[in-house]
Amino acid sequence: MKYLGKKAVVTGGTHGMGRATVEMLVENGVDVVLTGRTAERAEGLKAHAVASDATDLGDIARLRSEVAHRFQDIDLLFVNVGFSTLTPFDQASEADYDRTFDVNTKGAFFTAQHLAPLVKEGGSIVFTTSVATVLGSPGLSVYAGAKAAVRAFARGLAAELAPRNVRVNVVSPGFIDTPSMGVSGVPREVLEQFKEEGDRITPLKRHGTMDEVASAVLFLAFEATFTTGAELAVDGGLGQGVSA
Ligand SMILES: NC(=O)c1ccc[n+]([C@@H]2O[C@H](COP(=O)([O-])OP(=O)(O)OC[C@H]3O[C@@H](n4cnc5c(N)ncnc54)[C@H](OP(=O)(O)O)[C@@H]3O)[C@@H](O)[C@H]2O)c1
């Protein structure tokens, strides 16, 4: 119960690394509000689930009201919602592009804009980006651009929120063994190949675990008290210029 009494909001907390982070926060005594498009997926978690679509500004405003009502203020906002597809750039439609930026970029920006006022002095915001922002990979160009924008937002927000002593940082995962591997709409065998390729090109020769990402989020949130505008890679060296 290391962080007993702290309060957090985790978007995209029903599944994958967001869910693992919720579990780790709860185990450490943190009260959590989490989101996903469907609250039912949060079953089994000892946290309050709010159905909230990250692309819907009305939902984001309602989330803010619900969090303000329940918690008044928060210590951590983890802006984690995101997805990629594996679409070669010459096949990406306007709809693919818009959806990728709506969920990963616009959703992240407006979630932070609406909830940042609730983050208390000494608290922090953490965004999830991706190794794709620094590693050109086939099929991930639009996603890489969408997440690179989030990396840039984090620096701007860090500057604007520093006077309130609110830190803003980024966790940047490589290949992480979530059930979706962060990829939507591909058959199971393509996902398996994607994962195997990840293990091959990652210097540490494996994929990361969801708990390894969750630990990094808790570190940025509560321990890294002189760190803002920074990116913590959890990628086994993949995006760090380390040869495989
Ligand atoms: N897994 C990886 O290898 C990897 C690598 C690099 C970066 N990432 C990034 O890490 C983050 C989490 O990835 P993950 O693999 O843990 O994903 P995941 O298992 O697919 O979980 C995504 C979470 O976001 C929620 N979500 C998706 N779209 C939403 C929307 N429009 N509004 C609200 N909630 C939404 C999902 O819940 P619902 O479906 O119920 O809405 C779920 O809780 C993402 O930002 C991803 O891009 C993942």
Side-chain angles (χ1 to χ4, degrees):
M1 291 287 172
K2 196 171 174 191
Y3 303 120
L4 190 65
K6 293 199 182 286
K7 296 170 281 186
V9 173
V10 176
T11 74
T14 58
H15 199 253
M17 62 182 80
R19 187 179 179 104
T21 304
V22 170
E23 285 170 346
M24 197 174 281
L25 287 165
V26 170
E27 275 162 23
N28 282 283
V30 180
D31 284 327
V32 180
V33 166
L34 66 95
T35 75
R37 283 163 298 181
T38 47
E40 293 74 38
R41 286 185 92 189
E43 220 166 89
L45 288 169
K46 294 191 183 100
H48 181 67
V50 177
S52 180
D53 189 324
T55 65
D56 181 330
L57 265 68
D59 273 10
I60 295 174
R62 278 185 288 279
L63 173 66
R64 178 201 158 123
S65 304
E66 191 151 346
V67 171
H69 178 70
R70 196 175 182 89
F71 283 162
Q72 288 82 53
D73 54 19
I74 55 176
D75 299 277
L76 165 65
L77 170 63
F78 180 31
V79 183
N80 169 66
V81 169
F83 83 106
S84 67
T85 57
L86 293 177
T87 310
F89 99 96
D90 55 358
Q91 290 168 33
S93 66
E94 186 179 7
D96 293 332
Y97 182 98
D98 286 347
R99 180 79 191 148
T100 301
F101 271 79
D102 274 358
V103 174
N104 291 288
T105 313
K106 181 179 156 189
F109 181 83
F110 286 104
T111 299
Q113 186 192 63
H114 280 68
L115 278 93
L118 302 181
V119 180
K120 63 169 74 152
E121 204 181 309
S124 78
I125 299 174
V126 177
F127 290 96
T128 308
T129 61
S130 170
V131 69
T133 62
V134 293
L135 186 81
S137 304
L140 289 170
S141 303
V142 180
Y143 172 71
K147 286 292 196 183
V150 175
R151 173 67 187 97
F153 293 160
R155 288 197 178 90
L157 270 62
E160 292 196 38
L161 295 174
R164 282 214 291 125
N165 190 27
V166 170
R167 296 171 297 103
V168 183
N169 293 294
V170 166
V171 65
S172 181
F175 284 81
I176 306 296
D177 192 11
T178 67
S180 71
M181 297 292 292
V183 180
S184 285
V186 295
R188 176 63 31 203
E189 53 285 8
V190 174
L191 207 57
E192 281 308 317
Q193 282 163 16
F194 180 71
K195 196 165 152 183
E196 277 166 26
E197 174 69 358
D199 292 352
R200 195 183 65 75
I201 62 177
T202 297
L204 290 183
K205 293 293 171 206
R206 64 173 177 90
H207 43 269
T209 68
M210 295 187 270
D211 278 355
E212 286 172 321
V213 178
S215 298
V217 175
L218 268 68
F219 171 75
L220 289 170
F222 305 133
E223 306 295 338
T225 49
F226 198 47
T227 302
T228 194
E231 179 173 75
L232 179 50
V234 184
D235 65 2
L238 182 58
Q240 312 309 314
V242 177
S243 97

